[in-house]
C-alpha cells in the first residue's frame, strides 16, 4: 500500500510537524489542560469540518502514531483517547470496527515501552470498549472482544504487583467469558475459551488448583461439543482444557524445603537479625510462583527448558575454620562465589524462553540475594531432599529441551545424566561445559572434595551429541552461541505442533517415567 499522504500531495512528517506546532501554540500562555482543550476543539472542529468521518479518523490515527514515534507518548495516547471517545461508538459499524481494530494495534505497539504506557494503552482501549457498547454487528463485537483480550494481556505483562495481579487480570477474562457466553460465532467462542483457559492458567500460577480445574471443566462443558474445524484457535483452547486434568494429575509439587544451616548460623551471630524470616518468605513465594508457572506451561502445551547444573560450581556457603578469616571477624559463616563463563548466555536464555531450575542447596541465602553479574533463573523450585530426584525425573519428562551446565561429574549429576539416557532425551539435551577452575582461596576458606572433571570427551557424555564449550562465552548472548540458538528454534518448532498430539507425547513420557519409578526393574 502506498503513502496516502503522498498521493494527496502532502508529506506525513510535514503534517505531523504542523500539527505539533499548532498544539504548542494552543498551549502557549495557558495551562496544559486548557491548551489541550483548545487543541482538541480545533482538531474536532476546524479540521473535522474539512473531511469525512472516515478521513478524519484516519488523520487522527496518523497524528497519534506520528506523535508517538517522536517519543511524545503522553500526547499520543491523549489523541488516541479522543479518537476512541469520538469514533468507537460511531453509528456506522464499519467505521467503529476500523477504529477499534486500529486502536488495539496502535495501543499495543505503543504500550511495550513501559508500565506507564501500558496503563495508558489500557485506558484508551477501555474507553473504546465502553463507547462501542453492544452491537448487532458480529464484526464489531469481534473487534471489541479483541480489544478486551489485549487489555487482559497488557495487564498480565505490565508491572502489576504480584499480590494484586491475579484479580486485576482475571477481571477482564471473566468479563469476556460472561459477555459472550451465549454467542454462536466461532471466533467469539474462541475468545471465550481463551478467557476461561487463561483464567485457569492464572489460577495455577497462584497455586489455586481447584479454581483452575473448575475453569478448565467449564471450558469443556460450554464449548467441548462445538464441531472441530470451525475455528483453529477454538480447537486449540478446548484441547488444552481437555488434557488439563491429566496433566495436573501427573505434575504436582510438595511443599518447599530450605537448607537453613547458613541462615541459622547467621542468626546465632546476629540474634536481632530478621534476615532468615525475610529470605525464607521470599524463597517460598518464588517456589509457589515457579511451581504454578511450570504447571501452567505444561497444561498450555508450552514447551520449556529445564536447566540442570552443579550447585557448587557457582556458590558454596558454610562454616569456615580459616584463621585468616576469623581474625578479621569472629562470625564463622561465609560464602564462596564463583563467576562462570556461561552465566551471561544463560541469563539471556532465561529472558527468551520459559526456563526453570532446581534451587541450589549450597547457597546460603537460598539464591534470593542476587550478586551483581550472577545468573539466577527467574523460576526456581526448592525441592525436598528426600524426593528431589523423583521430581527432577518428572521435570525431564515434561521438558521441551534440557540444558546441563556443569564442570564436574558429581553423584547427583551422574544420576541426572543416566535418567536423561533412560528417558531417551539425549538429543533434546545440550551439555554446557565450564572449564574446571582451580580455586585455592575458596578451598582455603571452605574446603571441599571436588568431583571428577567433566570434559567434552568424558565417557559419561558419549550418549549426548550436543555439547558446548562454555570457555569462550563470557559476556556473550544466545545469538553468539549456535547450540543455544538451536534450543530456541526447537521450542518454537514444538510449540507449532498441534496441542493434542503434543500433550499426548508429554503424557506418554510422564506415564513411562512414573512406571519406571514404581518398578525400577522394568525394562
Amino acid at each position: 500500500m502506498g503513502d496516502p499522504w503522498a498521493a494527496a500531495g502532502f508529506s506525513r512528517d510535514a503534517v505531523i510537524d504542523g500539527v505539533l506546532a499548532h498544539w504548542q501554540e494552543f498551549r502557549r500562555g495557558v495551562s496544559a489542560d486548557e491548551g489541550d482543550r483548545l487543541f482538541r476543539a480545533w482538531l474536532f472542529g476546524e479540521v473535522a469540518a474539512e473531511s469525512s468521518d472516515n478521513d478524519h479518523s484516519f488523520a487522527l490515527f496518523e497524528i497519534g502514531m506520528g506523535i508517538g514515534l517522536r517519543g511524545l507518548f503522553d500526547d499520543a495516547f491523549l489523541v488516541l483517547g479522543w479518537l476512541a471517545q469520538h469514533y468507537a461508538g460511531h453509528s456506522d459499524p464499519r467505521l467503529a470496527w476500523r477504529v477499534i481494530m486500529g486502536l488495539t494495534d496502535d495501543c499495543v505497539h505503543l504500550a511495550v515501552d513501559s508500565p506507564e504506557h501500558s496503563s495508558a494503552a489500557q485506558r484508551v482501549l477501555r474507553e473504546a470498549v465502553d463507547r462501542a457498547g453492544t452491537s448487532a454487528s458480529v464484526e464489531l463485537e469481534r473487534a471489541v472482544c479483541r480489544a478486551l483480550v489485549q487489555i487482559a494481556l497488557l495487564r498480565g505483562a505490565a508491572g502489576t504487583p504480584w499480590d494484586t495481579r491475579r484479580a486485576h487480570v482475571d477481571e477482564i477474562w471473566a468479563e469476556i467469558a460472561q459477555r459472550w457466553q451465549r454467542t454462536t460465532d466461532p471466533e467469539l467462542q474462541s475468545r471465550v475459551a481463551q478467557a476461561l483457559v487463561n483464567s485457569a492458567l492464572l489460577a495455577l500460577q497462584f497455586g489455586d488448583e481447584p479454581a483452575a480445574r473448575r475453569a478448565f471443566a467449564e471450558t469443556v462443558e460450554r464449548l467441548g461439543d462445538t464441531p472441530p474445524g470451525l475455528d483453529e484457535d477454538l480447537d486449540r483452547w478446548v484441547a488444552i482444557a481437555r488434557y488439563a486434568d491429566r496433566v495436573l494429575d501427573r505434575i504436582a509439587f510438595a511443599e518447599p524445603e530450605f537448607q537453613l544451616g547458613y541462615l541459622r548460623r547467621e542468626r546465632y551471630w546476629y540474634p536481632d537479625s530478621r534476615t532468615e524470616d525475610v529470605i525464607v518468605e521470599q524463597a517460598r513465594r518464588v517456589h509457589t510462583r515457579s511451581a504454578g508457572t511450570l504447571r501452567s506451561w505444561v497444561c498450555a502445551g508450552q514447551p520449556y527448558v529445564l536447566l540442570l547444573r552443579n550447585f557448587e560450581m557457582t556458590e558454596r556457603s558454610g562454616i569456615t575454620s580459616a584463621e585468616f578469616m576469623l581474625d578479621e571477624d569472629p562470625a564463622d559463616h561465609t560464602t564462596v562465589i564463583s563467576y562462570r563463563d556461561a552465566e551471561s548466555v544463560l541469563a539471556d536464555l532465561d529472558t527468551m524462553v520459559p526456563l526453570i531450575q532446581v534451587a541450589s542447596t549450597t547457597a546460603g541465602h537460598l539464591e534470593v540475594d542476587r550478586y551483581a553479574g550472577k545468573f539466577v533463573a527467574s523460576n526456581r523450585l526448592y525441592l525436598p531432599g528426600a524426593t528431589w530426584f523423583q521430581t527432577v525425573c518428572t521435570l525431564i519428562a515434561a521438558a521441551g529441551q534440557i540444558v546441563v551446565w556443569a564442570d564436574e561429574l558429581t553423584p547427583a549429576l551422574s544420576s541426572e545424566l543416566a535418567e536423561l539416557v533412560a528417558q531417551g532425551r539425549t538429543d533434546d539435551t545440550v551439555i554446557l561445559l565450564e572449564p574446571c577452575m582451580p580455586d585455592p582461596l575458596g578451598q582455603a576458606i571452605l574446603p571441599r572434595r571436588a568431583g571428577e572433571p567433566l570434559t567434552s570427551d568424558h565417557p559419561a557424555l558419549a550418549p549426548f551429541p550436543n555439547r558446548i564449550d562454555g570457555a569462550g562465552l563470557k559476556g556473550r548472548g544466545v545469538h553468539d552461541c549456535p547450540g543455544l540458538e538451536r534450543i530456541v528454534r526447537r521450542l518454537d518448532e514444538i510449540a507449532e505442533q498441534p496441542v493434542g498430539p503434543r500433550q499426548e507425547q508429554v503424557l506418554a513420557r510422564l506415564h513411562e517415567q512414573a512406571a519406571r519409578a514404581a518398578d525400577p526393574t522394568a525394562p
Side-chain angles (χ1 to χ4, degrees):
M1 179 180 177
D3 184 349
W5 292 104
F10 297 102
S11 159
R12 175 187 278 107
D13 288 341
V15 170
I16 303 302
D17 290 341
V19 167
L20 283 171
H22 269 74
W23 201 341
Q24 292 309 311
E25 282 299 317
F26 283 122
R27 284 172 166 168
R28 194 181 305 278
V30 299
S31 68
D33 288 344
E34 177 63 12
D36 293 343
R37 186 191 68 77
L38 293 171
F39 175 68
R40 180 178 181 176
W42 171 76
L43 202 58
F44 285 87
E46 182 180 334
V47 174
E50 298 179 2
S51 58
S52 67
D53 285 352
N54 275 296
D55 289 343
H56 184 239
S57 62
F58 170 78
L60 291 176
F61 272 118
E62 292 287 294
I63 291 168
M65 287 303 292
I67 292 172
L69 293 175
R70 283 165 169 75
L72 303 172
F73 294 103
D74 291 344
D75 291 342
F77 282 118
L78 202 55
V79 171
L80 294 177
W82 295 338
L83 175 59
Q85 292 169 17
H86 200 80
Y87 285 112
H90 199 277
S91 58
D92 179 358
R94 290 298 301 170
L95 176 55
W97 172 85
R98 183 170 65 80
V99 166
I100 295 172
M101 292 290 285
L103 282 171
T104 302
D105 292 339
D106 289 352
C107 283
V108 170
H109 179 77
L110 294 176
V112 298
D113 186 70
S114 73
E116 291 75 20
H117 298 157
S118 176
S119 295
Q122 293 171 48
R123 287 194 296 273
V124 172
L125 293 179
R126 183 78 255 181
E127 182 74 39
V129 168
D130 292 343
R131 294 277 176 169
T134 302
S135 172
S137 164
V138 69
E139 288 82 7
L140 184 52
E141 286 290 285
R142 290 172 178 172
V144 169
C145 190
R146 178 173 177 262
L148 278 171
V149 167
Q150 289 304 321
I151 292 175
L153 296 176
L154 286 173
R155 286 188 175 189
T160 310
W162 183 255
D163 290 342
T164 58
R165 182 175 300 181
R166 180 183 176 188
H168 191 53
V169 177
D170 216 19
E171 176 185 29
I172 304 299
W173 293 130
E175 180 179 353
I176 294 169
Q178 201 266 327
R179 176 168 174 172
W180 287 282
Q181 61 181 321
R182 301 188 189 285
T183 185
T184 57
D185 175 65
E187 183 174 324
L188 289 172
Q189 287 179 325
S190 171
R191 295 296 190 186
V192 170
Q194 180 182 9
L196 290 169
V197 168
N198 273 280
S199 181
L201 298 175
L202 192 61
L204 284 176
Q205 291 167 21
F206 283 82
D208 190 352
E209 182 178 332
R213 287 184 184 265
R214 287 194 298 272
F216 284 131
E218 184 178 353
T219 307
V220 176
E221 181 181 350
R222 285 170 59 168
L223 298 161
D225 292 335
T226 306
L230 295 178
D231 185 279
E232 183 178 345
D233 288 333
L234 175 58
D235 293 344
R236 180 167 60 90
W237 294 118
V238 171
I240 289 171
R242 286 192 193 281
Y243 282 98
D245 275 352
R246 292 167 61 191
V247 170
L248 293 176
D249 289 343
R250 289 290 185 189
I251 298 182
F253 298 98
E255 286 296 303
E257 182 176 286
F258 308 110
Q259 304 297 322
L260 301 178
Y262 180 89
L263 287 169
R264 287 177 179 163
R265 193 64 177 174
E266 194 169 56
R267 175 168 282 187
Y268 169 80
W269 288 102
Y270 308 105
D272 295 332
S273 172
R274 294 190 62 253
T275 302
E276 177 182 342
D277 299 334
V278 172
I279 285 179
V280 167
E281 179 56 29
Q282 290 179 346
R284 188 179 303 279
R285 288 164 67 91
V286 169
H287 174 87
T288 300
R289 173 181 55 77
S290 300
T293 297
L294 182 124
R295 299 181 90 200
S296 73
W297 290 341
V298 184
C299 280
Q302 171 65 64
Y304 67 87
V305 172
L306 171 63
L307 175 62
L308 304 174
R309 58 189 171 136
N310 292 142
F311 291 154
E312 293 192 344
M313 182 174 64
T314 55
E315 181 176 352
R316 296 188 290 125
S317 300
I319 308 302
T320 184
S321 58
E323 292 184 5
F324 71 93
M325 295 283 292
L326 300 176
D327 285 344
E328 296 183 11
D329 185 346
D332 57 1
H333 59 290
T334 190
T335 295
V336 175
I337 299 292
S338 300
Y339 289 86
R340 309 311 298 258
D341 291 342
E343 294 195 53
S344 60
V345 294
L346 290 173
D348 193 28
L349 185 67
D350 192 32
T351 67
M352 297 175 66
V353 300
L355 184 147
I356 198 159
Q357 70 180 24
V358 176
S360 172
T361 60
T362 64
H365 281 185
L366 309 181
E367 295 189 303
V368 168
D369 289 343
R370 299 199 176 195
Y371 297 91
K374 289 300 298 171
F375 164 66
V376 178
S378 302
N379 294 296
R380 307 185 300 280
L381 298 172
Y382 293 81
L383 302 182
T387 58
W388 74 270
F389 185 67
Q390 294 93 310
T391 304
V392 167
C393 292
T394 298
L395 295 174
I396 289 171
Q401 296 281 280
I402 302 99
V403 174
V404 176
W405 182 34
D407 67 347
E408 61 184 28
L409 189 64
T410 62
L413 184 64
S414 181
S415 297
E416 290 168 343
L417 293 175
E419 182 64 22
L420 289 165
V421 172
Q423 289 197 28
R425 304 305 308 275
T426 54
D427 286 342
D428 298 324
T429 300
V430 168
I431 307 293
L432 181 53
L433 291 169
E434 292 278 2
C436 278
M437 296 172 49
D439 184 16
L441 179 59
Q443 190 71 4
I445 295 172
L446 285 178
R448 66 182 288 263
R449 183 174 181 178
E452 185 180 353
L454 197 58
T455 56
S456 182
D457 58 354
H458 194 286
L461 300 183
F464 297 90
N466 307 309
R467 304 171 213 162
I468 300 173
D469 182 0
L473 295 178
K474 188 173 183 178
R476 297 183 177 274
V478 168
H479 294 309
D480 301 312
C481 181
L484 292 182
E485 277 194 310
R486 173 186 175 275
I487 283 182
V488 178
R489 289 196 303 272
R490 262 310 281 142
L491 290 188
D492 289 340
E493 292 167 1
I494 295 169
E496 290 172 2
Q497 298 170 5
V499 170
R502 199 185 334 154
Q503 295 296 69
E504 287 288 357
Q505 183 182 44
V506 170
L507 286 167
R509 287 203 303 256
L510 288 167
H511 176 76
E512 291 170 7
Q513 181 270 321
R516 283 195 306 104
D519 182 9
T521 63

